[in-house]
Amino acid sequence: MGETGGSGGRLESILLDTSLHVSRRFIIASGVEGRLLVRLAAPAVIVYMVNYVMSMSTQIFSGHLGNLELAAASLGNTGIQVFAYGLMLGMGSAVETLCGQAYGAKKYDMLGVYMQRSTVLLVATGVPLAIAYAFSRPLLILLGQSPDIANAASIFVFGLIPQIFAYAANFPIQKFLQAQSIVAPSAYISTATVVLHLLLSWIVIYKLGLGLLGASLVLSASWWIIVIAQFVYIVTSRRCRLTWTGFSFLAFVGLPEFFKLSSASAVMLCLETWYFQILVLIAGLLPNPELALDSLSVCMTISGWVFMISVGFNAAASVRVSNELGAGNPKSAAFSVVVVNMMSFIIAVIIAIVIMWFRHSISYIFTEGETVAHAVSELCPLLAITIILNGIQPVLSGVAVGCGWQTFVAYVNVCCYYIVGIPAGVLLGFDFGFGLGAKGIWTGMIGGTFIQTFILLWVTFRTNWNAEVQKAQQRLETWDEKKEPLLANQG
């Protein structure tokens, strides 16, 4: 079974042990929880980093074919593919809530059902996405792309169609394993696959001469290798013998309510993913767009890599909170929230300090220009603030997933990001407002992130964890009785 199986009860007993002094209780409990979180977060960080490397390496291989191919792969990767990735990962996080709580409650047989139910929904979602991929050329031209780039990008995107359905299978499998604190096998599989991916990409693109289509087909094949290897692990591993009991017709029961939670999860994640993509798009409208985009792309790349660490803690927070709520351990759930936020925040602060220390030279990793280096050094304070906020905000989103608050967080994201952050950024950045350029746009959007983080902190601080335990148990009992699930009660 999972590496943390039974540890939650031990943590709860430590927190309830009044014979120990409060400070002694905190130290012992922090040691127990810290070990659990590191065991979960470290492999999760590796998995997300490797996924990032696979996409980036495909882009780099394509770039060596020519400038047109680089533009096409960049558009396919950072535009179209990121949208599908965010949508599928978001919808897949619904199973994270239910599997985590079911595992904590020892309703092991339901984990496999939830995984299959999520896969059914994601495959169904993949069908319209595949149609959009197939007609990407006219869609890209409609969005203002040049016909040459649109044509090349459509060839690349066509090869990514199998990847959509790999996502549909991968994310439920990934969340199924994470809920049981089985994270290391996914890290090993992903790491081995990226090595194979690099080799296959080199052979297919340069030796067989299959160009952009070959590059994207290899990326799709690599994702399917990960999916198949993880599923083989589930079927053959003794650790999953209670949670995987074979295919079940229950996968098709209660799909409408399951879709509601999946949709809320997708909206929650997509609104966050698109937020900083919009920052780059808006910066392209500035009077000197090339310098703004160059400096922002350097900062966004650094932020993207650091964000993978936060995503690892996001996964760990979701698993720990959902497990403890399902197990009926309110104090452990609350304590886990405190420890995971402290750990992520401290790491984020250290990285922000390092970035500020090297702010005058950090851009030379990406480009040689002194003008860009100066622009990046001016943006580094904002990058440092963003990294510190990202040390807290994604972790709080993980807590929200663990509790099943996705709908509430989606509303918060709409208000903070799109009603406050983006309009404030436009007002601060452009000449009709304060005319601060890229710094102004980013400052406004940081304001939106800050408000969102503050709201999530306040809600988490005010949470009645005993009530959350009751909601989790009510939800699981209802699912287990095969009636319509009570997932609407998410707040």
Side-chain angles (χ1 to χ4, degrees):
M1 296 304 294
E3 294 167 36
T4 64
S7 299
R10 181 187 167 204
L11 180 61
E12 192 78 3
S13 63
I14 293 168
L15 293 169
L16 291 170
D17 188 355
T18 53
S19 66
L20 293 171
H21 189 269
V22 174
S23 59
R24 179 69 177 160
R25 243 183 295 168
F26 181 81
I27 291 168
I28 296 171
S30 295
V32 171
E33 182 63 27
R35 282 191 295 274
L36 295 178
L37 288 169
V38 169
R39 225 178 277 155
L40 283 166
V45 170
I46 292 169
V47 169
Y48 288 111
M49 284 278 194
V50 166
N51 293 347
Y52 193 72
V53 166
M54 279 207 310
S55 291
M56 289 304 295
S57 65
T58 299
Q59 200 166 312
I60 291 165
F61 275 118
S62 301
H64 285 287
L65 294 171
N67 290 336
L68 177 64
E69 286 82 356
L70 175 61
S74 299
L75 186 61
N77 252 336
T78 57
I80 297 169
Q81 187 227 16
V82 165
F83 171 78
Y85 181 90
L87 182 65
M88 291 294 198
L89 178 61
M91 290 190 72
S93 76
V95 81
E96 198 169 354
T97 303
L98 293 167
C99 278
Q101 293 182 359
Y103 186 75
K106 300 184 179 179
K107 296 180 182 290
Y108 299 130
D109 59 317
M110 291 306 295
L111 270 76
V113 174
Y114 295 148
M115 180 180 74
Q116 292 172 64
R117 196 170 285 158
S118 181
T119 304
V120 169
L121 279 176
L122 264 65
V123 167
T125 304
V127 173
L129 280 176
I131 294 169
Y133 273 38
F135 292 96
S136 58
R137 184 181 184 277
L139 288 173
L140 289 170
I141 290 173
L142 188 66
L143 292 171
Q145 297 295 326
S146 74
D148 287 344
I149 292 176
N151 187 54
S154 68
I155 294 169
F156 182 84
V157 168
F158 190 77
L160 294 180
I161 290 175
Q163 185 193 48
I164 296 171
F165 298 100
Y167 286 163
N170 176 73
F171 294 129
I173 287 173
Q174 197 178 73
K175 303 305 180 184
F176 168 86
L177 290 169
Q178 280 181 5
Q180 303 168 69
S181 302
I182 303 173
V183 194
S186 294
Y188 296 139
I189 290 167
S190 295
T191 304
T193 304
V194 79
V195 175
L196 182 62
H197 172 78
L198 294 172
L199 178 62
L200 287 174
S201 295
W202 179 73
I203 292 171
V204 169
I205 296 169
Y206 300 134
K207 296 301 177 183
L208 299 180
L210 295 180
L212 281 174
L213 182 61
S216 55
L217 283 173
V218 168
L219 185 58
S220 293
S222 297
W223 272 95
W224 272 108
I225 290 168
I226 291 172
V227 168
I228 292 165
Q230 287 182 131
F231 186 69
V232 168
Y233 175 85
I234 288 170
V235 173
T236 59
S237 173
R238 284 184 55 79
R239 295 172 73 184
C240 299
R241 68 190 184 279
L242 298 180
T243 52
W244 174 257
T245 55
F247 294 102
S248 171
F249 283 110
L250 288 174
F252 299 95
V253 175
L255 286 175
E257 290 297 331
F258 203 92
F259 179 74
K260 286 180 186 176
L261 184 61
S262 296
S263 300
S265 301
V267 170
M268 184 186 88
L269 193 78
C270 287
L271 289 175
E272 292 181 14
T273 305
W274 297 338
Y275 189 51
F276 284 99
Q277 286 182 312
I278 289 169
L279 166 62
V280 176
L281 290 173
I282 294 172
L285 302 174
L286 288 169
N288 186 3
E290 189 174 335
L291 180 61
L293 287 172
D294 284 347
S295 56
L296 272 175
S297 65
V298 169
C299 290
M300 286 296 106
T301 302
I302 296 167
S303 178
W305 280 102
V306 176
F307 190 71
M308 296 299 146
I309 299 172
S310 302
V311 169
F313 279 103
N314 168 292
S318 174
V319 171
R320 291 292 301 123
V321 170
S322 60
N323 281 179
E324 298 299 352
L325 290 177
N329 296 326
K331 286 190 177 294
S332 296
F335 188 76
S336 180
V337 171
V338 173
V339 175
V340 71
N341 274 287
M342 283 175 57
M343 289 176 69
S344 183
F345 177 72
I346 290 167
I347 291 170
V349 168
I350 292 169
I351 294 171
I353 291 169
V354 170
I355 283 169
M356 287 302 295
W357 185 266
F358 292 104
R359 67 186 182 276
H360 298 301
S361 56
I362 200 164
S363 71
Y364 290 108
I365 299 169
F366 305 91
T367 183
E368 293 296 320
E370 282 187 28
T371 309
V372 175
H374 179 70
V376 169
S377 69
E378 287 194 334
L379 288 177
C380 271
L382 297 176
L383 174 60
I385 293 168
T386 299
I387 286 170
I388 290 170
L389 284 174
N390 282 347
I392 305 170
Q393 185 270 332
V395 179
L396 293 173
S397 292
V399 173
V401 170
C403 295
W405 299 340
Q406 285 95 327
T407 301
F408 168 73
V409 177
Y411 286 127
V412 171
N413 287 354
V414 168
C415 293
C416 296
Y417 290 165
Y418 296 90
I419 296 177
V420 176
I422 291 173
V426 169
L427 185 64
L428 290 170
F430 286 90
D431 290 337
F432 58 76
F434 290 83
L436 299 176
K439 284 194 288 187
I441 295 170
W442 201 348
T443 300
M445 296 181 80
I446 283 174
T449 307
F450 178 82
I451 294 169
Q452 188 242 25
T453 305
F454 178 80
I455 290 170
L456 290 184
L457 272 173
W458 178 251
V459 170
T460 305
F461 176 75
R462 298 264 301 176
T463 296
N464 181 335
W465 293 102
N466 289 311
E468 290 300 322
V469 165
Q470 290 175 0
K471 286 181 187 178
Q473 291 175 346
Q474 181 188 36
R475 181 181 295 141
L476 291 170
E477 283 169 12
T478 308
W479 275 102
D480 203 33
E481 290 166 6
K482 314 299 184 289
K483 297 175 187 173
E484 282 297 302
L486 297 180
L487 288 177
N489 209 6
Q490 295 162 26

